[in-house]
Structures are given as structure tokens and as C-alpha cells.
Amino acid sequence: MLTIAFVDRIGSGLWASVSVLYFTFVSGLSITQVGTLAATAGALGIAGAPIGGRLADRFPLTRVLVTVQLLRALASFALLTTDRYALLLLFTAVGGCGDRAANVLTRLYATRIAGPDRVRYQAVQRTVANAGWALGGLTAAAALALGSTAAYRWLLAGDALSFVASALLTLRCGEPRSHSRTVTTSKKARPTTTPTGPWRDRTYLAYVATDTVLFLDDAVFKVGLPLWIAHTGTAPHGLAPLLLVLNNVMVVALQVPLARFGATTPAARALLIPLSATFALAGLAMAASTTGGTTATTLSLTAAAVLFTLAEMLHATIAWELSVALASDTAQGAYLGVHGLAQAAQRSIGPLAVTTAIATGPLGWLTFGTAIAVTCTIQHRLVRDRLTQKALSVPSITVSEH
């Protein structure tokens, strides 16, 4: 599965860095149309996370993942066939839906295959995925030097082919053991318990709501930092891509070592306290970037990028553990699918949150960092009783044989 993550993210790196340019220069869309397409397709694609998780509780996980990868490939190939806006929107939405489903399914696979070592496995997988993303991005940058329409089309085709390759590689993976699917050997056999549904689990839904806020660091790197650098006028514009590179290098180098601090459920919950402090300091560093000249601004923004990256890695470690620990063992797929909504929803509210912070100025960034820090402490309190109760409970039996 690590090889699959690497191949998958190479393709994503090829496409993510040029998608806006493709729709502009190849499809001939206006800036408004491109923005509307991205926002609408993103909103429609949110459904992929819960649908993918639900299917994985009912069917073999590897088969569902292969289907999703092929769906992503078809959506990418389909973009090459038309310039009609409605069809571009449809195909982009289908691809986004598949992308979110694939994220949930790969997390679920790691949970099932690695068991108690799931946090370390996820950390290694994320490191490999980031390396693949970087390779894809560098390849895209080199291809764009050609400046031709054919280059854009080949990059999109490469993205589609990466999904085909991922599907073929997934066929070679063994099916992990699942507590979510009930197995019976006679028509009279019935499951002894009914899986708990995440949509009726108020504690889990509240946890997902708080995690949506904690995912806002993603919007900082994609939207916040580039716009803030342009807004301050004192930092060199070339600093934005360098900070993105710094973010990627830090994740590749440090995600696995940091994962050991959240390898158990109590440890993951405890990490919410230092995570809270990290978010608060990151907001302070962003606010401080307006108080000096070019050198001081550059140093403050670099410190902010380091702190937000550290927060990103700590939060990833915490989320990998708590999203599973809080879930019902008999409906892991459905629960992780609902948790996938947190990151998907953040992609809609994140840009709005960071642009509001930019418009407000230093006070906006202080508020941004403080709000996330407070949310960390709320989540720390929220999950305490649930985790204590689950630790004292006896696992239910979902397999009957007669």
C-alpha cells in the first residue's frame, strides 16, 4: 500500500499544480468560471468520504478501493474529451468524490492492516505520499517550461494513468481482516449486534466538528501565506513557494519521528495540549510579520510556516488515532467516512477563514490562532469520557458460525 500511495500522489502532484492553468489555457474558462468550478465541484465531492466508508463496511475493502481508483482515472480521462463547462464540472466533481473516498479507504486499510501500530503506519504512508507529491510537482514544473497545450494534456493523462496503476497494484494487496463486515455460514445465522451509526453518535459528530477547525492549517499554506505575503508588501513574493517546500521537507523528515508521541490513545489525546500552544504561537508569528522590515517579516513568516507545519504533523498523528479510537469497531468504515467530512468541509471554509484573517490584519491572525488553540482544548475535554468508557467496555462479537 505504501507503493500505491507513492504512485497515487505522483499523479496528484502532476495535476494539482496545473489544474487552474489547464482550465484557463486549454479549456478556455474565465477566472470566475474556474473559481466557480472548483468551489462547486469541491462541495459536490464532499459526499465521497462517507460513501466510501459506508461501502467499505459492506464489501471487501480492496475491491472498493480498486473501483474508486478506476473511477478517478475515468474522470481524469474524461476531462481530456471536452471543453463544455457543464461536463467539466461533472467530471471534476466525480474525480473529487473519488479522491475523498480514496483518502478514507487508504486510512481504513492502514487501520485494519496495522492494528495497534496504525499511527506509525499512517506516518510512514504520509511521508511516502508527500515524496510522491513533490516528485509529481517537480515533473509538472519541468513540463510547464514547454508552455504548450500538449504539455498540459500529458500531465492530465499522467494523473489518470497513476490511478490506473494504483488500481492494478491494489489488486495485488491482501484483504485485511475487518470487524465491520459480518460473516455468516448459514441462512439462519444473524449478527449478534447491530453496528452503531456515526450519524446518531453525538460525541463523534462533535469531535468531527472540532476537527474541521483543526484542519484549517491546510488553508494557511494553500491560500493564507501566499496572499498574506502579497498583502504585507515587505516580504519577497518568491518566499511563498519556498515556504511550501519547507512544509513538504519538514513533513517528509519529521512525520514518522513525531508519530511515536501519539502511538497510543491516551498519548494522542495528551498531544492536544502542545498542539493548542503551537497554533497560538503560529498565529502570533503571522501577526508579528507586519511589525518590521523585509528581514524581520521574512523571519516571522518562516517561523509561522514552521509552527503551522509542526501543528499539521501533530494534528495528523492525533487524528489518525482518535478518529479510530472513538469509532465503533463494527462500523469503522462509516465512522472514518464521516470523519473524512472534516477535511473536506475545511476546503470550503478554510479559504474564507484565512482571507478574513488577512482582511482584519494582525488582530485577525491572533484571533485565527487563538480560536484553533481553544478548539484543541475543547476537543481534549470532549473525548475524555468517551475514551474512558470505551477502554472499560468489552468488544462486541460480529461473526457467527453455525
Side-chain angles (χ1 to χ4, degrees):
M1 191 57 69
L2 296 179
T3 302
I4 295 170
F6 182 71
V7 173
D8 183 310
R9 288 305 165 183
I10 288 177
S12 297
L14 289 174
W15 174 240
S17 56
V18 303
S19 59
V20 172
L21 299 176
Y22 177 91
F23 290 129
T24 301
F25 297 117
V26 179
S27 300
L29 303 184
S30 66
I31 295 176
T32 301
Q33 286 178 314
V34 173
T36 303
L37 183 146
T40 306
L44 295 174
I46 289 177
I51 291 174
R54 185 82 173 176
L55 290 174
D57 281 338
R58 298 190 174 190
F59 303 99
L61 175 56
T62 52
R63 294 182 187 177
V64 177
L65 186 52
V66 167
T67 302
V68 167
Q69 295 287 25
L70 292 177
L71 179 67
R72 297 168 77 193
L74 287 172
S76 294
F77 279 127
L79 289 173
L80 292 167
T81 66
T82 183
D83 292 332
R84 292 182 60 185
Y85 187 77
L87 291 177
L88 291 174
L89 175 59
L90 173 62
F91 299 147
T92 303
V94 170
C97 190
D99 182 61
R100 287 164 177 76
N103 287 339
V104 169
L105 295 171
T106 52
R107 283 183 57 205
L108 184 58
Y109 187 94
T111 298
R112 292 178 179 177
I113 203 73
D117 293 326
R118 57 181 173 261
V119 171
R120 177 174 173 77
Y121 185 97
Q122 291 267 30
V124 173
Q125 182 166 287
R126 187 167 191 249
T127 299
V128 171
N130 269 51
W133 186 285
L135 179 58
L138 290 173
T139 303
L144 289 183
L146 299 175
S148 66
T149 299
Y152 287 109
R153 294 187 180 279
W154 278 112
L155 289 172
L156 178 52
D159 181 39
L161 290 173
S162 74
F163 300 142
V164 174
S166 296
L168 293 175
L169 290 170
T170 303
L171 289 173
R172 301 176 59 186
C173 294
E175 179 67 23
R177 182 182 178 184
S178 169
H179 295 289
S180 303
R181 291 191 302 119
T182 301
V183 179
T184 60
T185 57
S186 73
K187 294 182 179 179
K188 294 182 180 181
R190 293 291 184 269
T192 59
T193 61
T194 301
T196 303
W199 296 107
R200 297 181 179 180
D201 190 331
R202 294 182 179 179
T203 299
Y204 198 84
L205 292 177
Y207 162 70
V208 171
T210 58
D211 232 28
T212 301
V213 178
L214 270 56
F215 273 116
L216 288 176
D217 61 86
D218 183 65
V220 172
F221 283 98
K222 291 182 177 178
V223 179
L225 275 171
L227 286 181
W228 185 243
I229 288 172
H231 179 76
T232 60
T234 54
H237 289 187
L239 181 63
L242 293 179
L243 294 181
L244 289 175
V245 171
L246 174 63
N247 168 264
N248 196 70
V249 170
M250 285 184 64
V251 171
V252 171
L254 299 176
Q255 184 68 78
V256 173
L258 283 175
R260 71 176 185 271
F261 295 108
T264 66
T265 302
R269 176 176 176 264
L271 274 182
L272 284 165
I273 301 305
L275 176 62
S276 175
T278 304
F279 272 123
L281 289 173
L284 179 61
M286 289 293 288
S289 65
T290 61
T291 60
T294 300
T295 301
T297 298
T298 301
L299 291 175
S300 295
L301 289 174
T302 302
V306 169
L307 288 165
F308 273 118
T309 301
L310 179 60
E312 173 189 338
M313 293 185 289
L314 290 176
H315 177 229
T317 299
I318 295 166
W320 291 331
E321 179 60 27
L322 293 187
S323 62
V324 176
L326 293 168
S328 167
D329 291 335
T330 56
Q332 280 184 341
Y335 271 78
L336 290 183
V338 170
H339 182 259
L341 291 174
Q343 194 167 14
Q346 180 280 139
R347 294 180 182 180
S348 296
I349 67 174
L352 178 62
V354 295
T355 51
T356 300
I358 291 171
T360 310
L363 180 60
W365 282 115
L366 286 174
T367 303
F368 180 86
T370 301
I372 305 178
V374 171
T375 305
C376 289
T377 62
I378 292 173
Q379 187 178 107
H380 183 268
R381 172 81 180 200
L382 172 70
V383 303
R384 181 187 61 182
D385 294 340
R386 172 64 165 270
L387 294 175
T388 301
Q389 292 171 2
K390 189 167 184 181
L392 296 175
S393 66
V394 178
S396 58
I397 298 174
T398 61
V399 177
S400 57
E401 297 183 2
H402 297 281

